[in-house]
Amino acid sequence: MQALCWYGKNDVRVETVADPKLLLPTDAILRVTRTAICGSDLHLLHGAVPGMAAGDILGHEFTGEVVETGPEVKKLQRGDRVVVPFAISCGQCYACRHELWALCDNSNPNAALSSRIYGDGVGALFGYSHPMGGYAGGQAQYVRVPYADVGPLKIPDGVSDEQALLLSDIFPTGYMAAENCDLHPGNTVAIWGCGPVGQFAIRSALILGAARVIAIDRIPERLRMAAAGGAEPLHPNQVDDLQEELLWRTSGRGPDACIDAVGLQPHGRRPGSSQGATVLHQAIAACRKGGTVSIPGVYEGDLNGVPFGTAFAKGLTFRMGPTHIHRYLRPLMQRIQQGEIDPAFVITHRCPLAQAPEAYRLFNHKQQDCIKVVLNPWPQQAA
């Protein structure tokens, strides 16, 4: 089969690799129908995530058609169309039973390795480093899905693969980011980063009752999309002082909640900050006293110089972490079916899997107004 493989910093290639096989009786094999490039995939491209190996297959956002199942798989059968959460979850451990799906205790065979890096054994992800389990990803023609009765959700008739694809990660991630803000009627939310997750956070915050959303970004096409979704766009370079501007827009109090949808940044590093936490500093400074800072943006390693004293003095609440996709799949699928939201609005570019390296470069450098790229592994066939 064809798959996108990682070979080092800024080096990804489409290669011919062996087709996946069933390894456990609870596995399924999918023929991937649509897959996407996520902003967190760029952290792999930049070499910012430890534990990658040459030849690793990337991709954690995908839909597919079931082509084979293990003997213990009861809920899926050949021909089913499914969307798969990016996190791999067993369904039986303490974390899964408490709906902390992304923190599964059993899915990661390399939990000891992740403990040395992150201080604890973390749950496994598709296509995202060996400390995260070392599972092959879905930017490929076929993929093995462990715990096939736990993660995949059948795609209903009338919902396209592209619409369902956005449920594998970014729509639930934006929704959980907004939900973590504990919103109340009349609240104002400020969101840093109007990439795909930020766009869904904007719409989710409004769905959940926010009166206003202020969307902060430097890229005009992202601000235009944010405005189309009901947000007030704010270009930080077009105001004298971002914090003062946010205070002015909120009658001197500050936003009730701030969402950092940027995370690990290649640019904008502050002195003393090992990974570049400019946005996190701004969110802490801007958030009103007693407010909430929600962090769906991915971070790696230590963050030095974070103004924790300011956060303590202001009584801020922090909510963060990988998204528990399983918790949101069904309710968000219902919103799609009811016509409340069409998540495909965020897709700006579509191309064959064979062009994935070029698509990564396009997305990485934000060229051609690129916000979200969807890849088709079978461009000569109807998916």
Side-chain angles (χ1 to χ4, degrees):
M1 71 171 183
Q2 297 293 296
L4 185 75
C5 302
W6 183 94
Y7 283 94
K9 185 175 180 179
N10 297 321
D11 186 0
V12 294
R13 313 171 199 169
V14 176
E15 301 278 354
T16 299
V17 301
D19 290 354
K21 300 182 182 299
L22 297 174
L23 299 181
L24 296 170
T26 52
D27 288 349
I29 303 297
L30 303 187
R31 173 184 174 272
V32 178
T33 53
R34 291 292 186 272
T35 183
I37 303 173
C38 181
S40 54
D41 288 329
L42 297 183
H43 303 330
L44 304 177
L45 184 71
H46 299 151
V49 177
M52 294 293 292
D56 283 347
I57 299 174
L58 301 182
H60 58 271
E61 299 181 353
F62 55 90
T63 59
E65 177 187 333
V66 177
V67 296
E68 189 177 3
T69 60
E72 295 183 14
V73 176
K74 307 300 181 186
K75 297 180 180 179
L76 299 180
Q77 59 185 2
R78 185 181 178 90
D80 284 341
R81 290 192 308 140
V82 296
V83 57
V84 181
F86 73 78
I88 302 170
S89 308
C90 75
Q92 300 297 321
C93 68
Y94 176 90
C96 290
R97 286 186 285 107
H98 288 80
E99 293 197 325
L100 303 172
W101 300 97
L103 307 179
C104 178
D105 293 321
N106 295 328
S107 62
N108 189 347
N110 300 327
L113 177 59
S114 71
S115 291
R116 291 198 293 271
I117 296 173
Y118 300 110
D120 203 347
V122 300
L125 311 179
F126 286 100
Y128 214 82
S129 87
H130 290 266
M132 298 291 189
Y135 289 91
Q139 289 172 3
Q141 292 181 310
Y142 295 94
V143 64
R144 179 177 76 94
V145 177
Y147 305 106
D149 276 344
V150 178
L153 177 69
K154 293 181 184 179
I155 302 172
D157 292 341
V159 176
S160 71
D161 289 328
E162 284 193 350
Q163 290 174 311
L165 173 63
L166 283 312
L167 290 174
S168 63
D169 182 354
I170 58 173
F171 185 6
T173 295
Y175 190 90
M176 190 174 104
E179 186 179 73
N180 279 346
C181 292
D182 190 25
L183 296 172
H184 299 279
N187 279 175
T188 296
V189 181
I191 298 177
W192 278 256
C194 297
V197 168
Q199 298 292 341
F200 281 111
I202 289 166
R203 287 154 178 81
S204 298
L206 293 170
I207 287 172
L208 291 171
R212 299 171 62 201
V213 174
I214 302 170
I216 305 163
D217 205 299
R218 291 182 171 86
I219 301 174
E221 59 270 18
R222 292 185 173 188
L223 290 175
R224 286 193 293 270
M225 184 178 283
E232 303 172 20
L234 174 55
H235 193 305
N237 291 350
Q238 294 177 357
V239 296
D240 292 332
D241 185 286
L242 179 60
Q243 185 176 355
E244 289 298 321
E245 178 69 17
L246 289 170
L247 286 171
W248 180 81
R249 292 195 185 197
T250 56
S251 302
R253 187 174 64 247
D256 299 286
C258 294
I259 297 177
D260 173 0
V262 177
L264 182 63
Q265 303 167 77
H267 306 293
R269 298 188 177 187
R270 293 173 60 98
S273 177
S274 62
Q275 298 289 359
T278 303
V279 165
L280 187 55
H281 283 254
Q282 292 174 348
I284 290 171
C287 193
R288 70 158 170 84
K289 291 180 289 185
T292 299
V293 176
S294 173
I295 310 172
V298 175
Y299 282 91
E300 287 285 340
D302 298 330
L303 287 172
N304 300 321
V306 172
F308 203 73
T310 299
F312 176 85
K314 295 176 74 171
L316 300 182
T317 296
F318 287 79
R319 301 286 299 276
M320 68 191 80
T323 306
H324 308 301
I325 301 291
H326 302 59
R327 186 191 301 175
Y328 300 101
L329 278 178
R330 286 175 176 80
L332 294 184
M333 182 69 81
Q334 290 177 357
R335 291 186 184 273
I336 296 172
Q337 289 180 282
Q338 293 165 0
E340 190 171 349
I341 184 171
D342 180 357
F345 78 87
V346 79
I347 301 170
T348 56
H349 290 69
R350 298 168 175 86
C351 63
L353 177 66
Q355 296 176 13
E358 293 81 3
Y360 262 77
R361 285 190 283 272
L362 186 76
F363 184 44
N364 183 39
H365 295 294
K366 302 177 177 62
Q367 297 172 334
Q368 299 179 17
D369 295 348
C370 183
I371 294 177
K372 186 66 176 178
V373 180
V374 170
L375 305 170
N376 183 357
W378 309 92
Q380 304 307 319
Q381 303 177 28

